[in-house]
Amino acid sequence: MSAQTAGPETLGHLSEEPPPVDPNSKQAKTITGKSPLRIAFGRLARDKIAVVCAAVVLFFVLVAVFAGAICSIFNVDTETVLATTRVDFLNNGLPLKGPPNHGFDPAHPFGVAPNTGNDNLAFWVYGCRTSLMIASIATLFASVLGVSLGLLAGFLGGPVDKIISFFTDFFLTVPFLLAALTIAPIVSQRFATSPHYARIQLIDLIVVLSVFGWMGIARLIRGEVLSLREREFIQAARVLGMPTRRILVKELLPNLVAPIVVSISLMLPAFVAAEAGLAFLGIGVTSGISWGQTINTASNFFEVYPLFLWEPLIGIVALVLALNLLGDAIRDALDPKTRR
Amino acid sequence: MRRNKPLAVLAGAALFALAACGGSSDNPTSGSTKTFDPSATDIAKDPKRAAPAADIDGATAGGTITVYLPGDPGPDSLDPTEGWSVTGNSIQQALTSRSLTQYARDPESGDMVLVPDLATDLGTPNGDFTEWTFTIRDDAKWQDGSTITPEEVAWGITRSMDSDTFPGGPGTEYSQTYFKDAGKYKGPYTDKGKTWDGVSVNGQDITIKMAKPFPDMDYWGAFMAMGPSPLGKASDPPDYGQNIQSNGPYKVESFRPNEELTLVKNDQWDPKSDPARHQYADRWVFKFNQDTAKVDQIMLSDNTDSQTALSTGIGSNNYQRANTELGDRLFQQSAQCTSFLSPDYTKIKDIRVRKALAYAYPYQDMWLATGEVPGVTRVPANSIMPPGMAGKKEFFADGEQFKFDPEKSKELLKEAGYAPGDYKISMIYYEADPLAVAGQKQLVKGFQEAGFTVVNGGYPVQDSPYNIWLNPDDPLNKKLNLRGVNWCSDWPSGLTMLPPLTKTGAAYNTAQFSEPAIDQKMSDIPSMPLADQAAAWGALDEEIETKYFPIIPTAFRNDLFVFGSKIGNGVGDGALGAPDYKDLYVSQ
């Protein structure tokens, strides 16, 4: 004899629905009128880790935005100086003043780089700007590309879906690092004589990062759209004769805010780390200022001048960690099914 | 011989930047005991040196020696005819490829001596040095056991005439200048079917005929290009370069260009047939293109692996530590090398501008930014010929040692009619190396202070700058008016410094310098009485530099080697500026 798998009794226990409340009670009044995003924001604000991480991210954003102002407050700059004016050529090219062999030097709060005499604070601040600028622009492009392709593939289906899915899979099979290692020198060679070389290199990096970064979000959105498009409200919109564009933007997109926000918040730290990693490998930003490049130089001096390595390292670790934890917290807040 | 190490990863800097250094290093020794060491004045000759070579005191057989070459890509091909780099020649000439003559290190003085190799003596010239005869010894063998015949040596020499097949080989400079029919006979692969009577074989004797007097043939004989190659198809390029027949104490077990070369004992090599080489270690492993920081740590750690290893360089950041901790195991080798800036003679025509460049170059700062050790691996240079070369004169092209002096530079520019910032310099730098980028920034800053403008701050390039500088058809090369070159002597004579760098059309004449009067003198000097030649080269050096100043010497160079604690007799080879591979052993 078979029993019912989910009887009314068991359903009651498994359900996530809150127990029914009297619509006129005080409790009911505070709940009503809150959008899902607002609820999520409330959850986020109560999450201590999320608040701390948001503060850290905000700090880095402020540093990046006001890089020039910060440098002028401390009276430092990124200009090349003749090395002998700041470093001691008799002593391994270590700085004449300040760490590691002397006390704190107020003229250069973070010290100066060995061999070249560049100011560490100015390079740190502008390195932060490079990192965040590249990561956020690449995230913007990658997510716009990914979301629109995902929406089209999922909603239109048929040959459009087939073609877009093919390209998604194709780009996923291309190894990112290998592609970046191949493309960067070609572009650098091509524009070697251009007066805008540094900017072209920056754009090249952003393009590479976004071209190889949109596939994840496109697949995610396509999957969500596939399940949403059979739902009643979409059917209703179609029956009403809404144009496809309007259905995509007004009906589907608002329902996809949660997955989009989550993947953006996790894409950002990935790009920060990728940018630093590429600079460390000697591709990416080689003509400008970048944390990854400073780390590459500093790793040779770790034993004699550890501070030089710690500064950009702490910058990257703190920023990536804060962005990642914040992203996790946002996902938890937006998705009621995951509870820690 | 060009120094290719700087070209690699570590120091594209090298070209401009390593080239850089110098400046006024008056007192380079606070805290360091080493100072720049000029190389020995002359290389003695010992035509009677007999095989076998005397044993090194305390040497023991067995073990594997690992050689780390930081930032050095090594040779692409092992073909003896192709070899013209310090790295490749020092390894092959010591271990795998024999030639007419060779160098042996005198254990007492540390000086190098030119001794016979495959020839029984150092050759017999006729009265005016237009014909040289070498007697080939009959007991030397290939790795397959067959005897090396005079015909095979003659074939090897004939191959060196082929500049088109071996464009990077030393034959392009020497065989194609001094041997008979130079310029007419293009070598056995390019001029297929033509016969060349420049080399003739008579019993065990081979006779080389010259187009003009060539008194340095015995030194040129120490190049592996002047050694045997298997006859016929067996030595066809380019395959032979990946799969050479060895005739030295070691043979090639495996060779991966730019990565690794493994040599094992060649049991057909007989010590009784060789006056200078030894066969102590069982194996040699050469690791090319190593990361400097990694190698420094390996060598400083003194673990079991590094005890039997050596490194051909050390990062400046670890120099002080190595100097205190390693003692004699940090070995400083002088070499006859000079680094240059080459202003294009056809574009920068005013000598005052070229002198202004010499004052605008921030020697000291470049040197720091590119990680050199001041006063040890680099010192200021005054002439094309490096210190220790016979005939070198202590002159100053502008009355005093060039040092970074922006005011003087601006003054000279003003005399030449240029306001500060007017004069534009187009140059390239090796962007793949952060040290080179840092050096370039210093250079741009220095030039800017001295009244020059560097277009775009220099054009970044992704591969060896030599690939651009040496290619006359390169569109980027055509834009440049400032290049560079690093050059080491092939033997201690001005003949191997001045013509390769300043003769019209010479491969490494990156300044495009051309003066018929100078060309004439360069071709005349080898015909002069032997005793006068050194002084004549020195005088020509002074004449070129004071009258035309076509290339700006920025530094004389030394090298540092690190030997593991179990490497016996860790010393350098002053003739080549490399570790003395012939005499190393693993102490048990």
Side-chain angles (χ1 to χ4, degrees):
Chain A
M1 192 195 298
S2 64
Q4 251 182 313
T5 46
E9 300 90 348
T10 46
L11 257 183
H13 288 288
L14 291 172
S15 162
E16 297 249 330
E17 294 293 320
V21 284
D22 179 7
N24 295 322
S25 71
K26 207 176 169 192
Q27 196 188 0
K29 285 212 170 95
T30 54
I31 290 170
T32 46
K34 271 189 181 176
S35 74
L37 274 183
R38 213 183 143 75
I39 296 171
F41 193 77
R43 287 202 192 110
L44 211 54
R46 282 193 300 278
D47 187 341
K48 287 196 188 83
I49 293 177
V51 173
V52 172
C53 288
V56 173
V57 171
L58 183 70
F59 166 75
F60 280 106
V61 169
L62 290 178
V63 166
V65 170
F66 297 106
I70 292 172
C71 283
S72 59
I73 289 173
F74 287 99
N75 194 22
V76 293
D77 56 48
T78 57
E79 286 291 302
T80 309
V81 292
L82 287 175
T84 37
T85 55
R86 284 192 191 158
V87 300
D88 183 359
F89 70 93
L90 296 178
N91 184 19
N92 279 4
L94 290 177
L96 286 165
K97 282 186 192 169
N101 293 336
H102 313 275
F104 178 75
D105 176 13
H108 306 286
F110 276 25
V112 299
N115 284 0
T116 54
N118 290 329
D119 183 86
N120 287 346
L121 176 62
F123 271 65
W124 192 85
V125 167
Y126 277 95
C128 176
R129 175 181 272 189
T130 310
S131 250
L132 276 175
M133 185 174 71
I134 290 178
S136 43
I137 298 179
T139 306
L140 182 74
F141 285 150
S143 48
V144 167
L145 193 65
V147 168
S148 26
L149 287 177
L151 273 175
L152 289 176
F155 190 74
L156 297 178
V160 179
D161 183 20
K162 284 230 168 74
I163 292 169
I164 293 178
S165 295
F166 169 78
F167 276 105
T168 314
D169 292 340
F170 175 76
F171 273 95
L172 278 171
T173 56
V174 179
F176 162 70
L177 254 187
L178 213 61
L181 278 168
T182 323
I183 294 171
I186 296 174
V187 173
S188 301
Q189 192 104 3
R190 166 65 185 79
F191 294 100
T193 51
S194 160
H196 307 295
Y197 179 70
R199 183 170 301 164
I200 288 169
Q201 218 178 27
L202 209 71
I203 295 171
D204 168 43
L205 186 60
I206 291 172
V207 169
V208 166
L209 285 176
S210 17
V211 163
F212 290 96
W214 58 270
M215 295 84 72
I217 194 165
R219 283 184 138 190
L220 184 81
I221 297 298
R222 175 179 169 271
E224 294 280 327
V225 172
L226 280 181
S227 72
L228 280 178
R229 72 169 185 192
E230 304 305 328
R231 296 271 283 274
E232 290 83 351
F233 69 99
I234 302 291
Q235 308 279 17
R238 278 181 160 168
V239 169
L240 283 174
M242 255 192 205
T244 309
R245 194 169 57 90
R246 202 175 147 82
I247 297 179
L248 288 177
V249 177
K250 290 276 170 188
E251 302 290 341
L252 279 173
L253 214 48
N255 283 290
L256 295 170
V257 166
I260 291 173
V261 168
V262 168
S263 52
I264 285 181
S265 63
L266 293 175
M267 208 188 272
L268 209 55
F271 282 155
V272 171
E275 186 273 322
L278 288 179
F280 179 77
L281 288 175
I283 51 181
V285 183
T286 44
S287 281
I289 294 164
S290 155
W291 278 343
Q293 241 200 329
T294 313
I295 289 179
N296 190 7
T297 318
S299 56
N300 288 332
F301 290 88
F302 183 55
E303 279 181 49
V304 285
Y305 191 178
L307 181 70
F308 184 36
L309 180 63
W310 281 120
E311 286 160 358
L313 207 61
I314 289 173
I316 288 185
V317 169
L319 179 58
V320 173
L321 190 70
L323 281 170
N324 261 322
L325 289 177
L326 187 64
D328 278 348
I330 291 174
R331 185 177 56 197
D332 289 348
L334 280 172
D335 187 353
K337 281 178 215 132
T338 51
R339 289 272 159 75
R340 269 186 281 182
Chain B
M1 157 172 350
R2 102 180 177 196
R3 194 138 296 254
N4 62 357
K5 166 177 174 171
L7 299 181
V9 190
L10 198 146
L15 305 162
F16 273 122
L18 295 201
C21 58
S24 54
S25 65
D26 348 321
N27 178 17
T29 43
S30 95
S32 100
T33 51
K34 288 188 163 60
T35 50
F36 187 81
D37 182 15
S39 69
T41 323
D42 203 2
I43 289 184
K45 296 179 187 177
D46 182 359
K48 300 223 156 40
R49 182 77 63 99
D55 264 328
I56 302 293
D57 281 345
T60 49
T64 299
I65 298 182
T66 309
V67 182
Y68 294 102
L69 299 114
D72 187 337
D76 291 328
S77 153
L78 297 181
D79 195 316
T81 311
E82 183 87 63
W84 202 9
S85 71
V86 172
T87 310
N89 286 45
S90 64
I91 295 170
Q92 285 185 263
Q93 286 172 190
L95 304 175
T96 64
S97 303
R98 302 181 61 173
S99 53
L100 294 173
T101 59
Q102 64 177 329
Y103 298 103
R105 188 175 190 275
D106 181 344
E108 303 291 315
S109 63
D111 292 340
M112 302 308 286
V113 183
L114 188 70
V115 302
D117 188 355
L118 282 175
T120 52
D121 55 14
L122 295 177
T124 319
N126 65 356
D128 58 355
F129 300 102
T130 51
E131 210 175 282
W132 280 77
T133 305
F134 292 85
T135 308
I136 306 300
R137 54 190 314 143
D138 54 9
D139 53 356
K141 291 199 174 75
W142 292 100
Q143 68 183 53
D144 62 5
S146 57
T147 306
I148 296 172
T149 63
E151 284 79 11
E152 285 164 337
V153 179
W155 170 240
I157 292 171
T158 310
R159 288 174 104 227
S160 77
M161 291 296 285
D162 206 322
S163 297
D164 290 342
T165 312
F166 306 105
T172 55
E173 179 63 38
Y174 302 113
S175 298
Q176 273 297 349
T177 304
Y178 295 104
F179 286 5
K180 194 184 169 193
D181 294 335
K184 283 175 236 149
Y185 177 66
K186 300 218 178 330
Y189 300 107
T190 309
D191 271 353
K192 269 203 179 90
K194 264 198 203 173
T195 49
W196 180 54
D197 59 355
V199 183
S200 52
V201 179
N202 181 14
Q204 283 300 113
D205 287 354
I206 65 167
T207 304
I208 308 171
K209 294 197 186 71
M210 306 293 167
K212 49 179 148 179
F214 188 32
D216 287 340
M217 181 61 219
D218 44 357
Y219 287 117
W220 173 221
F223 268 72
M224 56 189 178
M226 292 292 105
S229 284
L231 297 176
K233 269 196 164 0
S235 62
D236 270 2
D239 296 348
Y240 185 60
Q242 306 303 317
N243 188 22
I244 56 161
Q245 279 279 316
S246 161
N247 47 36
Y250 295 88
K251 57 185 176 186
V252 178
E253 187 185 69
S254 70
F255 174 51
R256 295 200 306 276
N258 302 348
E259 283 179 42
E260 198 172 279
L261 169 68
T262 309
L263 303 177
V264 291
K265 271 189 177 176
N266 172 12
D267 50 14
Q268 295 298 325
W269 175 82
D270 182 0
K272 290 196 203 73
S273 74
D274 197 321
R277 294 182 183 86
H278 297 107
Q279 196 183 39
Y280 293 131
D282 289 336
R283 278 167 80 84
W284 289 83
V285 181
F286 293 89
K287 291 178 181 287
F288 301 111
N289 252 344
Q290 296 292 300
D291 179 60
T292 311
K294 187 185 89 186
V295 172
D296 288 354
Q297 292 308 320
I298 292 174
M299 296 312 296
L300 285 165
S301 72
D302 196 32
N303 61 15
T304 33
D305 284 340
S306 68
Q307 282 170 353
T308 61
L310 64 113
S311 153
T312 58
I314 185 159
S316 64
N317 50 312
N318 284 313
Y319 168 73
Q320 298 261 313
R321 199 182 144 201
N323 202 15
T324 36
E325 286 180 19
L326 301 180
D328 286 348
R329 286 164 47 209
L330 178 67
F331 187 86
Q332 184 182 358
Q333 179 59 56
S334 61
Q336 296 191 325
C337 295
T338 315
S339 303
F340 300 96
L341 274 184
S342 319
D344 194 308
Y345 197 69
T346 60
K347 292 176 186 160
I348 304 185
K349 290 183 178 149
D350 192 330
I351 188 171
R352 286 171 296 196
V353 178
R354 294 198 291 274
K355 283 187 176 163
L357 278 172
Y359 284 112
Y361 191 74
Y363 299 88
Q364 201 84 281
D365 309 281
M366 287 287 289
W367 177 21
L368 270 168
T370 53
E372 286 303 326
V373 186
V376 178
T377 58
R378 295 292 184 276
V379 291
N382 70 312
S383 57
I384 299 175
M385 285 157 72
M389 184 170 276
K392 173 187 152 54
K393 291 176 92 174
E394 290 304 321
F395 66 90
F396 294 105
D398 202 41
E400 55 169 335
Q401 176 65 49
F402 284 110
K403 54 179 190 287
F404 180 56
D405 188 344
E407 294 314 312
K408 191 105 183 223
S409 166
K410 276 186 208 154
E411 221 170 86
L412 281 163
L413 275 179
K414 203 173 157 194
E415 278 175 34
Y418 298 99
D422 271 6
Y423 208 96
K424 303 245 182 321
I425 293 295
S426 299
M427 59 190 297
I428 52 171
Y429 66 99
Y430 181 52
E431 203 201 13
D433 175 19
L435 287 181
V437 178
Q440 178 67 16
K441 284 187 176 157
Q442 296 287 327
L443 182 135
V444 170
K445 175 83 180 168
F447 274 17
Q448 189 192 333
E449 283 192 11
F452 287 94
T453 307
V454 180
V455 180
N456 281 3
Y459 302 126
V461 295
Q462 311 301 321
D463 59 353
S464 162
Y466 277 135
N467 292 351
I468 312 252
W469 290 334
L470 300 186
N471 181 0
D473 300 326
D474 190 291
L476 187 53
N477 192 22
K478 287 181 187 159
K479 284 189 174 190
L480 306 180
N481 60 7
L482 184 64
R483 302 187 188 87
V485 65
N486 277 345
W487 197 252
C488 298
S489 68
D490 290 331
W491 56 84
S493 160
L495 175 74
T496 68
M497 292 298 290
L498 299 179
L501 294 172
T502 57
K503 196 176 63 182
T504 304
Y508 286 89
N509 180 356
T510 50
Q512 324 276 4
F513 175 68
S514 171
E515 286 291 341
I518 298 293
D519 286 346
Q520 188 54 42
K521 281 194 175 154
M522 281 191 282
S523 86
D524 287 347
I525 291 179
S527 329
M528 292 168 69
L530 211 47
D532 301 343
Q533 290 190 14
W537 286 120
L540 183 62
D541 184 357
E542 180 168 3
E543 184 184 341
I544 294 175
E545 286 299 274
T546 45
K547 206 163 154 193
Y548 304 103
F549 200 57
I551 48 178
I552 305 169
T554 55
F556 296 133
R557 311 167 45 117
N558 265 194
D559 286 297
L560 292 168
F561 308 132
V562 184
F563 292 98
S565 54
K566 282 195 172 169
I567 298 281
N569 197 29
V571 290
D573 171 342
L576 285 165
D580 181 18
Y581 298 118
K582 278 177 189 166
D583 300 330
L584 299 183
Y585 62 88
V586 177
S587 51
Q588 302 295 329

